[in-house]
Each structure stands twice: as C-alpha cells, then as structure tokens.
Short mmCIF file of all heavy atoms in Angstrom, two decimals:
data_model
loop_
_atom_site.label_atom_id
_atom_site.label_comp_id
_atom_site.label_asym_id
_atom_site.label_seq_id
_atom_site.Cartn_x
_atom_site.Cartn_y
_atom_site.Cartn_z
N MET A 1 -10.72 -33.40 -3.30
CA MET A 1 -11.27 -32.59 -2.24
C MET A 1 -11.63 -31.22 -2.82
O MET A 1 -10.87 -30.66 -3.59
CB MET A 1 -10.25 -32.39 -1.13
CG MET A 1 -9.81 -33.66 -0.44
SD MET A 1 -8.57 -33.35 0.85
CE MET A 1 -7.13 -33.01 -0.16
N LYS A 2 -12.77 -30.70 -2.38
CA LYS A 2 -13.17 -29.36 -2.78
C LYS A 2 -12.70 -28.37 -1.73
O LYS A 2 -12.82 -28.62 -0.53
CB LYS A 2 -14.68 -29.26 -2.93
CG LYS A 2 -15.20 -30.02 -4.13
CD LYS A 2 -16.66 -29.75 -4.34
CE LYS A 2 -17.12 -30.49 -5.59
NZ LYS A 2 -18.48 -30.12 -5.96
N VAL A 3 -12.16 -27.24 -2.17
CA VAL A 3 -11.59 -26.24 -1.28
C VAL A 3 -12.30 -24.92 -1.49
O VAL A 3 -12.53 -24.49 -2.62
CB VAL A 3 -10.08 -26.05 -1.58
CG1 VAL A 3 -9.48 -25.01 -0.67
CG2 VAL A 3 -9.34 -27.37 -1.47
N SER A 4 -12.63 -24.24 -0.36
CA SER A 4 -13.21 -22.90 -0.46
C SER A 4 -12.78 -22.07 0.74
O SER A 4 -12.44 -22.61 1.79
CB SER A 4 -14.73 -22.95 -0.56
OG SER A 4 -15.28 -23.50 0.60
N VAL A 5 -12.82 -20.75 0.56
CA VAL A 5 -12.45 -19.81 1.62
C VAL A 5 -13.61 -18.84 1.81
O VAL A 5 -14.10 -18.25 0.85
CB VAL A 5 -11.18 -19.02 1.25
CG1 VAL A 5 -10.85 -17.99 2.33
CG2 VAL A 5 -10.00 -19.94 1.02
N ASP A 6 -14.04 -18.67 3.06
CA ASP A 6 -15.07 -17.69 3.40
C ASP A 6 -14.38 -16.36 3.66
O ASP A 6 -13.78 -16.15 4.71
CB ASP A 6 -15.85 -18.15 4.63
CG ASP A 6 -16.98 -17.21 5.00
OD1 ASP A 6 -17.04 -16.07 4.48
OD2 ASP A 6 -17.82 -17.61 5.82
N LYS A 7 -14.46 -15.46 2.70
CA LYS A 7 -13.75 -14.18 2.82
C LYS A 7 -14.38 -13.26 3.86
O LYS A 7 -13.75 -12.32 4.32
CB LYS A 7 -13.70 -13.49 1.46
CG LYS A 7 -12.78 -14.23 0.51
CD LYS A 7 -12.43 -13.39 -0.68
CE LYS A 7 -11.49 -14.17 -1.55
NZ LYS A 7 -10.53 -13.36 -2.21
N ASP A 8 -15.63 -13.53 4.25
CA ASP A 8 -16.27 -12.72 5.28
C ASP A 8 -15.65 -12.96 6.65
O ASP A 8 -15.65 -12.06 7.49
CB ASP A 8 -17.77 -13.00 5.34
CG ASP A 8 -18.49 -12.51 4.10
OD1 ASP A 8 -18.02 -11.54 3.46
OD2 ASP A 8 -19.54 -13.09 3.76
N THR A 9 -15.14 -14.17 6.89
CA THR A 9 -14.56 -14.48 8.19
C THR A 9 -13.03 -14.52 8.17
O THR A 9 -12.41 -14.52 9.24
CB THR A 9 -15.10 -15.82 8.72
OG1 THR A 9 -14.79 -16.86 7.79
CG2 THR A 9 -16.60 -15.76 8.94
N CYS A 10 -12.43 -14.52 6.99
CA CYS A 10 -10.97 -14.54 6.87
C CYS A 10 -10.39 -13.26 7.44
O CYS A 10 -10.86 -12.15 7.15
CB CYS A 10 -10.58 -14.69 5.39
SG CYS A 10 -8.79 -14.62 5.10
N ILE A 11 -9.33 -13.41 8.27
CA ILE A 11 -8.66 -12.24 8.84
C ILE A 11 -7.33 -11.94 8.14
O ILE A 11 -6.62 -11.01 8.51
CB ILE A 11 -8.43 -12.40 10.36
CG1 ILE A 11 -7.59 -13.64 10.66
CG2 ILE A 11 -9.77 -12.43 11.09
CD1 ILE A 11 -7.15 -13.76 12.11
N GLY A 12 -6.99 -12.74 7.15
CA GLY A 12 -5.79 -12.48 6.36
C GLY A 12 -4.49 -12.77 7.07
O GLY A 12 -3.48 -12.12 6.80
N CYS A 13 -4.48 -13.76 7.95
CA CYS A 13 -3.25 -14.06 8.69
C CYS A 13 -2.18 -14.70 7.81
O CYS A 13 -1.00 -14.62 8.12
CB CYS A 13 -3.55 -14.94 9.90
SG CYS A 13 -4.02 -16.63 9.49
N GLY A 14 -2.59 -15.37 6.73
CA GLY A 14 -1.64 -15.93 5.78
C GLY A 14 -1.11 -17.31 6.11
O GLY A 14 -0.27 -17.84 5.38
N VAL A 15 -1.59 -17.92 7.19
CA VAL A 15 -1.09 -19.24 7.56
C VAL A 15 -1.38 -20.28 6.48
O VAL A 15 -0.55 -21.14 6.20
CB VAL A 15 -1.62 -19.69 8.95
CG1 VAL A 15 -3.08 -20.04 8.91
CG2 VAL A 15 -0.81 -20.85 9.47
N CYS A 16 -2.53 -20.17 5.82
CA CYS A 16 -2.88 -21.15 4.79
C CYS A 16 -1.92 -21.07 3.61
O CYS A 16 -1.46 -22.09 3.10
CB CYS A 16 -4.32 -20.95 4.32
SG CYS A 16 -4.69 -19.30 3.71
N ALA A 17 -1.60 -19.86 3.19
CA ALA A 17 -0.68 -19.67 2.06
C ALA A 17 0.73 -20.13 2.41
O ALA A 17 1.45 -20.63 1.54
CB ALA A 17 -0.67 -18.21 1.63
N SER A 18 1.12 -20.00 3.66
CA SER A 18 2.46 -20.47 4.04
C SER A 18 2.51 -21.99 4.16
O SER A 18 3.52 -22.60 3.86
CB SER A 18 2.92 -19.80 5.33
OG SER A 18 2.12 -20.19 6.42
N ILE A 19 1.41 -22.61 4.59
CA ILE A 19 1.36 -24.07 4.72
C ILE A 19 1.18 -24.75 3.37
O ILE A 19 1.78 -25.78 3.09
CB ILE A 19 0.22 -24.49 5.67
CG1 ILE A 19 0.56 -24.08 7.09
CG2 ILE A 19 -0.05 -25.99 5.58
CD1 ILE A 19 -0.58 -24.30 8.08
N CYS A 20 0.35 -24.16 2.51
CA CYS A 20 -0.02 -24.82 1.25
C CYS A 20 -0.07 -23.79 0.10
O CYS A 20 -1.14 -23.47 -0.41
CB CYS A 20 -1.36 -25.52 1.43
SG CYS A 20 -1.71 -26.74 0.17
N PRO A 21 1.08 -23.30 -0.33
CA PRO A 21 1.12 -22.26 -1.36
C PRO A 21 0.64 -22.70 -2.74
O PRO A 21 0.32 -21.85 -3.58
CB PRO A 21 2.59 -21.84 -1.40
CG PRO A 21 3.33 -23.01 -0.87
CD PRO A 21 2.42 -23.65 0.14
N ASP A 22 0.56 -24.00 -2.98
CA ASP A 22 0.04 -24.48 -4.27
C ASP A 22 -1.48 -24.38 -4.34
O ASP A 22 -2.05 -24.48 -5.42
CB ASP A 22 0.47 -25.92 -4.53
CG ASP A 22 1.95 -26.05 -4.77
OD1 ASP A 22 2.57 -25.07 -5.22
OD2 ASP A 22 2.51 -27.14 -4.52
N VAL A 23 -2.12 -24.18 -3.19
CA VAL A 23 -3.58 -24.12 -3.15
C VAL A 23 -4.09 -22.74 -2.74
O VAL A 23 -5.11 -22.28 -3.24
CB VAL A 23 -4.15 -25.19 -2.19
CG1 VAL A 23 -5.67 -25.10 -2.09
CG2 VAL A 23 -3.73 -26.58 -2.66
N PHE A 24 -3.37 -22.05 -1.84
CA PHE A 24 -3.84 -20.77 -1.32
C PHE A 24 -2.86 -19.63 -1.60
O PHE A 24 -1.65 -19.83 -1.61
CB PHE A 24 -4.04 -20.86 0.20
CG PHE A 24 -5.02 -21.92 0.60
CD1 PHE A 24 -4.58 -23.16 1.05
CD2 PHE A 24 -6.38 -21.70 0.53
CE1 PHE A 24 -5.47 -24.15 1.42
CE2 PHE A 24 -7.29 -22.68 0.89
CZ PHE A 24 -6.83 -23.91 1.33
N GLU A 25 -3.44 -18.42 -1.78
CA GLU A 25 -2.63 -17.21 -1.87
C GLU A 25 -3.43 -16.08 -1.25
O GLU A 25 -4.64 -16.21 -1.01
CB GLU A 25 -2.30 -16.87 -3.33
CG GLU A 25 -3.48 -16.38 -4.14
CD GLU A 25 -3.10 -15.96 -5.55
OE1 GLU A 25 -1.93 -16.07 -5.93
OE2 GLU A 25 -4.01 -15.53 -6.28
N MET A 26 -2.76 -14.98 -1.00
CA MET A 26 -3.43 -13.81 -0.46
C MET A 26 -3.82 -12.90 -1.62
O MET A 26 -3.02 -12.66 -2.53
CB MET A 26 -2.52 -13.07 0.52
CG MET A 26 -1.97 -13.96 1.63
SD MET A 26 -3.20 -14.96 2.49
CE MET A 26 -4.00 -13.70 3.46
N ASP A 27 -5.05 -12.37 -1.59
CA ASP A 27 -5.52 -11.52 -2.68
C ASP A 27 -5.13 -10.06 -2.43
O ASP A 27 -4.43 -9.74 -1.46
CB ASP A 27 -7.03 -11.67 -2.91
CG ASP A 27 -7.88 -11.15 -1.76
OD1 ASP A 27 -7.37 -10.44 -0.86
OD2 ASP A 27 -9.10 -11.44 -1.76
N ASP A 28 -5.58 -9.16 -3.29
CA ASP A 28 -5.22 -7.74 -3.19
C ASP A 28 -5.77 -7.08 -1.94
O ASP A 28 -5.27 -6.05 -1.51
CB ASP A 28 -5.73 -6.99 -4.43
CG ASP A 28 -5.01 -7.41 -5.70
OD1 ASP A 28 -3.88 -7.93 -5.59
OD2 ASP A 28 -5.57 -7.22 -6.79
N GLU A 29 -6.80 -7.68 -1.34
CA GLU A 29 -7.39 -7.14 -0.11
C GLU A 29 -6.75 -7.75 1.14
O GLU A 29 -7.17 -7.46 2.25
CB GLU A 29 -8.90 -7.41 -0.10
CG GLU A 29 -9.64 -6.70 -1.22
CD GLU A 29 -11.12 -7.06 -1.26
OE1 GLU A 29 -11.59 -7.80 -0.37
OE2 GLU A 29 -11.79 -6.61 -2.18
N GLY A 30 -5.75 -8.62 0.94
CA GLY A 30 -5.07 -9.24 2.06
C GLY A 30 -5.81 -10.43 2.63
O GLY A 30 -5.50 -10.89 3.73
N LYS A 31 -6.78 -10.94 1.90
CA LYS A 31 -7.53 -12.11 2.35
C LYS A 31 -7.12 -13.33 1.54
O LYS A 31 -6.65 -13.21 0.41
CB LYS A 31 -9.03 -11.87 2.19
CG LYS A 31 -9.47 -10.65 2.99
CD LYS A 31 -10.69 -10.94 3.76
CE LYS A 31 -11.06 -9.73 4.60
NZ LYS A 31 -12.32 -9.91 5.25
N ALA A 32 -7.32 -14.50 2.12
CA ALA A 32 -6.95 -15.74 1.45
C ALA A 32 -7.91 -16.04 0.31
O ALA A 32 -9.09 -15.71 0.37
CB ALA A 32 -6.94 -16.89 2.43
N GLN A 33 -7.36 -16.68 -0.71
CA GLN A 33 -8.20 -17.20 -1.78
C GLN A 33 -7.61 -18.51 -2.25
O GLN A 33 -6.41 -18.72 -2.16
CB GLN A 33 -8.33 -16.21 -2.93
CG GLN A 33 -7.05 -15.95 -3.70
CD GLN A 33 -7.26 -14.93 -4.82
OE1 GLN A 33 -8.29 -14.30 -4.91
NE2 GLN A 33 -6.26 -14.77 -5.65
N ALA A 34 -8.49 -19.38 -2.72
CA ALA A 34 -8.04 -20.66 -3.23
C ALA A 34 -7.64 -20.50 -4.69
O ALA A 34 -8.38 -19.92 -5.49
CB ALA A 34 -9.15 -21.69 -3.10
N LEU A 35 -6.47 -20.98 -5.03
CA LEU A 35 -5.99 -20.95 -6.41
C LEU A 35 -6.68 -22.01 -7.25
O LEU A 35 -6.79 -21.87 -8.47
CB LEU A 35 -4.48 -21.19 -6.45
CG LEU A 35 -3.62 -20.13 -5.78
CD1 LEU A 35 -2.17 -20.61 -5.69
CD2 LEU A 35 -3.69 -18.83 -6.54
N VAL A 36 -7.12 -23.07 -6.61
CA VAL A 36 -7.84 -24.17 -7.26
C VAL A 36 -9.06 -24.50 -6.41
O VAL A 36 -9.06 -24.26 -5.21
CB VAL A 36 -6.94 -25.42 -7.42
CG1 VAL A 36 -5.79 -25.16 -8.36
CG2 VAL A 36 -6.43 -25.91 -6.08
N THR A 37 -10.09 -25.05 -7.02
CA THR A 37 -11.27 -25.43 -6.25
C THR A 37 -11.26 -26.90 -5.88
O THR A 37 -12.00 -27.31 -5.00
CB THR A 37 -12.56 -25.12 -7.04
OG1 THR A 37 -12.51 -25.77 -8.31
CG2 THR A 37 -12.74 -23.62 -7.22
N GLU A 38 -10.40 -27.67 -6.54
CA GLU A 38 -10.25 -29.08 -6.19
C GLU A 38 -8.78 -29.44 -6.16
O GLU A 38 -8.00 -28.99 -7.00
CB GLU A 38 -10.99 -29.95 -7.20
CG GLU A 38 -12.50 -29.77 -7.13
CD GLU A 38 -13.24 -30.85 -7.88
OE1 GLU A 38 -12.71 -31.96 -8.03
OE2 GLU A 38 -14.36 -30.56 -8.30
N THR A 39 -8.42 -30.26 -5.17
CA THR A 39 -7.03 -30.67 -5.04
C THR A 39 -6.94 -32.00 -4.29
O THR A 39 -7.86 -32.36 -3.56
CB THR A 39 -6.19 -29.61 -4.29
OG1 THR A 39 -4.83 -30.04 -4.25
CG2 THR A 39 -6.67 -29.41 -2.86
N ASP A 40 -5.86 -32.70 -4.48
CA ASP A 40 -5.56 -33.92 -3.74
C ASP A 40 -4.45 -33.68 -2.72
O ASP A 40 -4.03 -34.61 -2.04
CB ASP A 40 -5.12 -35.03 -4.70
CG ASP A 40 -6.26 -35.52 -5.57
OD1 ASP A 40 -7.42 -35.38 -5.16
OD2 ASP A 40 -5.98 -36.03 -6.67
N LEU A 41 -3.97 -32.44 -2.61
CA LEU A 41 -2.88 -32.14 -1.70
C LEU A 41 -3.34 -32.17 -0.25
O LEU A 41 -4.29 -31.49 0.12
CB LEU A 41 -2.28 -30.77 -2.03
CG LEU A 41 -1.59 -30.64 -3.38
CD1 LEU A 41 -1.18 -29.20 -3.64
CD2 LEU A 41 -0.36 -31.54 -3.43
N GLU A 42 -2.65 -32.95 0.55
CA GLU A 42 -2.99 -33.07 1.97
C GLU A 42 -2.75 -31.76 2.73
O GLU A 42 -3.36 -31.52 3.76
CB GLU A 42 -2.20 -34.20 2.62
CG GLU A 42 -2.70 -35.58 2.22
CD GLU A 42 -4.13 -35.84 2.67
OE1 GLU A 42 -4.48 -35.53 3.82
OE2 GLU A 42 -4.91 -36.35 1.85
N CYS A 43 -1.86 -30.90 2.20
CA CYS A 43 -1.59 -29.65 2.89
C CYS A 43 -2.83 -28.75 2.94
O CYS A 43 -2.93 -27.89 3.81
CB CYS A 43 -0.40 -28.92 2.28
SG CYS A 43 -0.63 -28.35 0.58
N ALA A 44 -3.79 -28.96 2.04
CA ALA A 44 -5.04 -28.18 2.07
C ALA A 44 -5.80 -28.48 3.37
O ALA A 44 -6.34 -27.57 4.00
CB ALA A 44 -5.90 -28.49 0.86
N LYS A 45 -5.83 -29.74 3.78
CA LYS A 45 -6.47 -30.11 5.04
C LYS A 45 -5.74 -29.49 6.22
O LYS A 45 -6.35 -29.00 7.16
CB LYS A 45 -6.50 -31.63 5.20
CG LYS A 45 -7.51 -32.33 4.34
CD LYS A 45 -7.48 -33.82 4.66
CE LYS A 45 -8.43 -34.60 3.79
NZ LYS A 45 -8.38 -36.04 4.06
N GLU A 46 -4.42 -29.53 6.18
CA GLU A 46 -3.62 -28.96 7.25
C GLU A 46 -3.86 -27.46 7.36
O GLU A 46 -3.98 -26.91 8.46
CB GLU A 46 -2.13 -29.24 7.02
CG GLU A 46 -1.24 -28.75 8.12
CD GLU A 46 0.24 -29.00 7.87
OE1 GLU A 46 0.58 -29.77 6.96
OE2 GLU A 46 1.04 -28.40 8.60
N ALA A 47 -3.96 -26.79 6.22
CA ALA A 47 -4.23 -25.35 6.21
C ALA A 47 -5.60 -25.06 6.81
O ALA A 47 -5.74 -24.13 7.61
CB ALA A 47 -4.15 -24.81 4.79
N ALA A 48 -6.59 -25.86 6.47
CA ALA A 48 -7.94 -25.67 7.01
C ALA A 48 -7.94 -25.86 8.53
O ALA A 48 -8.56 -25.08 9.26
CB ALA A 48 -8.92 -26.63 6.35
N GLU A 49 -7.23 -26.87 9.00
CA GLU A 49 -7.16 -27.13 10.44
C GLU A 49 -6.39 -26.04 11.17
O GLU A 49 -6.65 -25.78 12.35
CB GLU A 49 -6.50 -28.49 10.68
CG GLU A 49 -7.36 -29.66 10.22
CD GLU A 49 -6.62 -30.98 10.21
OE1 GLU A 49 -5.42 -31.03 10.59
OE2 GLU A 49 -7.24 -31.99 9.81
N SER A 50 -5.47 -25.37 10.48
CA SER A 50 -4.65 -24.34 11.11
C SER A 50 -5.27 -22.95 11.04
O SER A 50 -4.79 -22.04 11.72
CB SER A 50 -3.27 -24.29 10.42
OG SER A 50 -2.62 -25.53 10.57
N CYS A 51 -6.32 -22.80 10.26
CA CYS A 51 -6.96 -21.48 10.12
C CYS A 51 -7.58 -21.06 11.45
O CYS A 51 -8.45 -21.76 11.97
CB CYS A 51 -8.05 -21.54 9.03
SG CYS A 51 -8.91 -19.97 8.81
N PRO A 52 -7.16 -19.91 12.00
CA PRO A 52 -7.66 -19.50 13.32
C PRO A 52 -9.14 -19.13 13.33
O PRO A 52 -9.77 -19.15 14.40
CB PRO A 52 -6.79 -18.30 13.67
CG PRO A 52 -6.32 -17.76 12.38
CD PRO A 52 -6.19 -18.96 11.46
N THR A 53 -9.72 -18.81 12.18
CA THR A 53 -11.13 -18.44 12.14
C THR A 53 -12.01 -19.51 11.50
O THR A 53 -13.22 -19.33 11.37
CB THR A 53 -11.31 -17.13 11.36
OG1 THR A 53 -10.82 -17.29 10.04
CG2 THR A 53 -10.61 -15.97 12.05
N GLY A 54 -11.42 -20.62 11.07
CA GLY A 54 -12.19 -21.68 10.44
C GLY A 54 -12.80 -21.27 9.13
O GLY A 54 -13.85 -21.76 8.72
N SER A 55 -12.12 -20.38 8.41
CA SER A 55 -12.64 -19.84 7.15
C SER A 55 -12.44 -20.76 5.95
O SER A 55 -13.00 -20.50 4.90
CB SER A 55 -11.98 -18.49 6.86
OG SER A 55 -12.26 -17.57 7.88
N ILE A 56 -11.65 -21.80 6.11
CA ILE A 56 -11.35 -22.71 5.01
C ILE A 56 -12.17 -23.99 5.15
O ILE A 56 -12.18 -24.60 6.22
CB ILE A 56 -9.86 -23.04 4.95
CG1 ILE A 56 -9.04 -21.77 4.76
CG2 ILE A 56 -9.56 -24.06 3.86
CD1 ILE A 56 -7.56 -21.96 4.94
N THR A 57 -12.81 -24.37 4.07
CA THR A 57 -13.57 -25.61 4.04
C THR A 57 -12.92 -26.54 3.03
O THR A 57 -12.67 -26.14 1.90
CB THR A 57 -15.04 -25.36 3.62
OG1 THR A 57 -15.60 -24.41 4.53
CG2 THR A 57 -15.84 -26.64 3.63
N VAL A 58 -12.66 -27.77 3.46
CA VAL A 58 -12.13 -28.81 2.57
C VAL A 58 -13.04 -30.02 2.74
O VAL A 58 -13.17 -30.56 3.82
CB VAL A 58 -10.67 -29.18 2.95
CG1 VAL A 58 -10.17 -30.31 2.05
CG2 VAL A 58 -9.76 -27.97 2.84
N GLU A 59 -13.70 -30.37 1.65
CA GLU A 59 -14.64 -31.51 1.69
C GLU A 59 -14.17 -32.62 0.80
O GLU A 59 -13.72 -32.40 -0.28
CB GLU A 59 -16.02 -31.05 1.24
CG GLU A 59 -16.60 -29.96 2.11
CD GLU A 59 -17.92 -29.44 1.55
OE1 GLU A 59 -18.07 -29.33 0.32
OE2 GLU A 59 -18.79 -29.15 2.37
#
C-alpha cells in the first residue's frame, strides 16, 4: 500500500501517529508525516480512516 499525508489539510491531531507509530510521526511543525511511503501494515488503513480531515491517503 502507498501512504501519503496532505500537509495542507492536516491539523496535527496526532491520531495517526498514536494508531500506527511505525508508519506516521509528527514533524517539527506539528503535522503528520509518513515515515515510509509503502507498507503492508493494516494500521495505516485504520489511521487513514480515523483522520478527522481525511489528510491520509492509503492506496
């Protein structure tokens, strides 16, 4: 699965990093970023579904 974060719409709530810390972290600006661009971890999908702004794309 390919993972990406739209930093323009991210509000920095941190839910993705708490759900899937192997894939997401918060950057110096307090916004989410993907640590990897591809993963097989199902938690990446859960993080995308839990994002309140829909800023995470998992394809």
Side-chain angles (χ1 to χ4, degrees):
M1 298 179 286
K2 290 187 178 188
V3 179
S4 64
V5 177
D6 182 347
K7 291 195 178 214
D8 291 332
T9 59
C10 176
I11 59 171
C13 70
V15 71
C16 56
S18 66
I19 291 173
C20 197
D22 292 334
V23 178
F24 301 99
E25 71 176 1
M26 306 311 287
D27 67 13
D28 293 338
E29 296 175 5
K31 301 226 176 173
Q33 67 181 10
L35 296 171
V36 295
T37 56
E38 293 193 26
T39 183
D40 291 335
L41 294 174
E42 286 297 315
C43 64
K45 285 183 182 178
E46 183 182 347
E49 292 169 2
S50 299
C51 179
T53 59
S55 299
I56 300 169
T57 303
V58 177
E59 300 174 323

